[in-house]
Amino acid sequence: GVNAPTSQSLLNYILLALVYGGIMIYKRQLLTVKWYYYLILSIVDVEANYIVVKAYQYTSLTSVMLLDCWAIPCVLFLTWIFLKTKYGLRKLFGVGICVAGVVLVVFSDVHASERKSKGPSPLKGDMLVIAGATLYAVSNVTEEYIVKKSSRIEVMAMLGVFGAIISGIQISILEREELRST
């Protein structure tokens, strides 16, 4: 019964910061990408996690899991636009099937009012998942872009550091009362 979406992700960011940050410190590796790019990446990633976890309050687990796959066509589109990746017809056909599935799930949830098993506001939950999955796609493509300019260790370390800081701030603002009452 606890409603604390950001708190559920905080440990992940702390562990990323400790493990990959420890590797960076051990190797005495300096940042090759400006810190504010990592800050922006972390904001997008933390908010994507927050929105998707928040969606569980409004719609069914099945809808969240299926609609989270919306990130796949978004990633393909963003990598095609920004990273100039080329895709064949089979991949594009797969994306079409994915988009059709998303439409069918949302349509099903619009008509879920007759059934009580879906959640209090299935359409709101679906829109939250689609927004979160889109942010996941932005985060993933940005990570891929930054990794090409630096290293995976640096990206994970900085995502962990800034993600933990942003999560901590967000918890203190949005989830303080919820956590106190438990």
Side-chain angles (χ1 to χ4, degrees), residues 5 16 20 30 32 43-44 47 52 57 70 80-81 99 106 111 118 120 127 130 132-133 139 150 153 159 169:
L16 281 174
Y20 288 104
L30 298 175
T32 56
I43 290 170
V44 171
E47 296 315 314
V52 170
Q57 296 173 14
W70 172 249
W80 177 67
I81 294 291
V99 171
V106 172
H111 297 290
K118 285 287 187 181
M127 293 302 112
I130 290 171
S139 174
S150 64
I153 293 171
L159 180 63
I169 292 168

Side-chain angles (χ1 to χ4, degrees), residues 58-77:
Y58 300 104
T59 192
S60 68
L61 173 67
T62 305
S63 292
V64 172
M65 298 306 286
L66 289 172
L67 291 174
D68 201 28
C69 294
W70 172 249
I72 296 167
C74 290
V75 164
L76 264 67
F77 178 73

